[in-house]
Amino acid sequence: MILITGATGNLGRETINFLLKKIPSSEISALIRNPDKAEDLKHKGIKLHKGDYNDYDSLIKAFKGIDKLLLISSNDFVNRVNQHINVINAAKENGVKHIYYTSGARTIDNKEIPGVKDHLETEQYLENSGINYTILKNNLYIENLPMYLGEKVLETGIYFPGTGKVAFASRTDMAEATANLLVSNEVSEKTYNFSNTEAVDFNDIASILTKITGKKIDYIEVEPNIYREQLTKIGIPTPVINLRIGFGSLFKGGFLNTPNSALEEILGHKTINVEEFLKKFYLK
Ligand code: NAP
């Protein structure tokens, strides 16, 4: 029996849909917090377990009889290492044989780099847990590109506080590859880098947008302080501004410049690239 956590989130739900093409629903369980969000999964015959990463007892109940567990990293950025540790401990207590963890792609293991600390600490805990494990180092989702580009990108161009090459990959491709690994009995590596085969920066993206829309679109790099001032004036909340400035420095540092063919090899087909995604999104 395979259990997927975060099953009512984007990656969890997509992974389950790919699993359903390979194994019967009776072999798939899901950890969910809110049954109202899981009606579709219930109708597909997935066994639902209500539980929360913060509630150890709920995890102990949910993981009974599970062989393989996909731990989807939490989206609670305050307490997520402890949440992940709860999942790993509960899995161990239940005799789960293999944990797959969705971590983050990166060029170096430096806890000072935004987003790295939680993943690194979870990976280290998992490595020392004594359970078989596979770490999936997911790069940033292509599907989130419009969020960085802004709603008016086609009118104003790309306005962002920093750029650098990032091997954005499709969440759908990651879900399919994860499902492939979950059903395989020959998972040879301890760590997989789920990135695209090519990395792009905002200048490349501006050129792609220019090509596909026929409108000249430029990337304008803004000083973080000026960016903060301008966005504050138009009422953008401070945490959102901080997040974007954080991404700007992450991109600029090249920490997500991890192009790789592992995803394509596991998929057995080409990955969705940035141009394909942008065409689908902006020319719909
Ligand atoms: P998502 O749609 O936000 O899904 C996160 C899932 O985690 C949700 O199902 C959520 O449950 C569940 N969850 C959160 N806290 C939990 C808790 N305390 N107990 C049990 N379940 C909990 O995110 P996603 O798009 O699937 O991405 C998966 C993960 O990748 C994210 O959680 C985040 O860590 C990371 N991420 C990666 C990128 C990227 O670009 N690579 C971008 C954003 C996030 P509910 O459905 O009940 O809310």
Side-chain angles (χ1 to χ4, degrees), residues 14 18 30 33 44 51 55 67 93 97 238 241 256 276:
E14 280 197 87
F18 280 108
R33 289 195 290 188
K44 287 172 182 164
D55 177 356
D67 304 302
E93 207 176 313
K97 295 185 186 71
T238 307
I241 301 174
L256 297 163
E276 275 173 88

Side-chain angles (χ1 to χ4, degrees), residues 219-265:
Y219 167 58
I220 301 134
E221 176 144 356
V222 206
E223 275 296 313
N225 285 339
I226 296 173
Y227 186 78
R228 179 182 301 286
E229 221 172 85
Q230 291 173 337
L231 265 65
T232 305
K233 261 190 209 151
I234 57 167
I236 306 288
T238 307
V240 175
I241 301 174
N242 288 344
L243 191 71
R244 292 194 196 163
I245 291 175
F247 272 117
S249 68
L250 199 60
F251 297 161
K252 223 172 172 161
F255 302 119
L256 297 163
N257 187 5
T258 58
N260 195 276
S261 60
L263 193 52
E264 275 197 355
E265 282 157 23

Side-chain angles (χ1 to χ4, degrees), residues 18-265:
F18 280 108
L19 278 176
L20 284 168
K21 295 181 183 174
K22 298 164 189 296
I23 55 173
S25 59
S26 57
E27 293 175 25
I28 309 170
S29 289
L31 185 81
I32 55 144
R33 289 195 290 188
N34 178 357
D36 293 343
K37 282 177 78 178
E39 280 299 314
D40 59 323
L41 300 174
K42 191 174 157 192
H43 284 122
K44 287 172 182 164
I46 309 296
K47 191 156 192 239
L48 303 181
H49 300 273
K50 197 160 177 285
D52 192 301
Y53 296 159
N54 293 309
D55 177 356
Y56 191 71
D57 290 342
S58 72
L59 302 176
I60 287 289
K61 278 187 202 140
F63 299 166
K64 290 214 182 319
I66 300 302
D67 304 302
K68 295 179 180 178
L69 184 146
L70 174 65
L71 166 53
I72 294 207
S73 55
S74 172
N75 56 10
D76 169 353
F77 293 91
V78 179
N79 191 32
R80 63 175 179 169
V81 179
N82 288 331
Q83 295 182 341
H84 297 162
I85 288 174
N86 273 345
V87 172
I88 296 165
N89 287 345
K92 190 170 180 181
E93 207 176 313
N94 267 306
V96 170
K97 295 185 186 71
H98 199 127
I99 296 182
Y100 300 72
Y101 171 63
T102 64
S103 186
R106 54 191 183 257
T107 49
I108 48 170
D109 284 346
N110 179 343
K111 286 189 187 179
E112 302 302 316
I113 300 166
V116 170
K117 183 175 174 289
D118 291 357
H119 284 316
L120 196 57
E121 287 180 4
T122 304
E123 287 174 17
Q124 285 165 349
Y125 195 84
L126 189 54
E127 284 159 15
N128 294 323
S129 70
I131 309 181
N132 281 335
Y133 66 86
T134 304
I135 293 164
L136 310 169
K137 289 189 173 169
N138 292 350
N139 209 310
L140 294 185
Y141 303 148
I142 269 189
E143 287 83 351
N144 285 351
L145 264 178
M147 182 184 83
Y148 309 110
L149 301 180
E151 276 174 30
K152 295 190 177 154
V153 61
L154 300 187
E155 290 105 69
T156 61
I158 305 169
Y159 195 75
F160 207 81
T163 190
K165 298 275 184 190
V166 178
F168 293 99
S170 158
R171 190 174 55 220
T172 302
D173 282 341
M174 294 182 199
E176 183 178 356
T178 302
N180 288 354
L181 289 178
L182 282 166
V183 298
S184 166
N185 290 320
E186 291 162 21
V187 179
S188 52
E189 306 294 333
K190 287 281 181 210
T191 300
Y192 290 89
N193 173 1
F194 281 177
S195 288
N196 227 321
T197 49
E198 275 180 48
V200 293
D201 61 21
F202 285 138
N203 288 306
D204 301 320
I205 293 174
S207 301
I208 296 170
L209 286 172
T210 300
K211 181 178 146 193
I212 64 176
T213 62
K215 286 168 79 171
K216 180 83 179 91
I217 290 165
D218 291 312
Y219 167 58
I220 301 134
E221 176 144 356
V222 206
E223 275 296 313
N225 285 339
I226 296 173
Y227 186 78
R228 179 182 301 286
E229 221 172 85
Q230 291 173 337
L231 265 65
T232 305
K233 261 190 209 151
I234 57 167
I236 306 288
T238 307
V240 175
I241 301 174
N242 288 344
L243 191 71
R244 292 194 196 163
I245 291 175
F247 272 117
S249 68
L250 199 60
F251 297 161
K252 223 172 172 161
F255 302 119
L256 297 163
N257 187 5
T258 58
N260 195 276
S261 60
L263 193 52
E264 275 197 355
E265 282 157 23

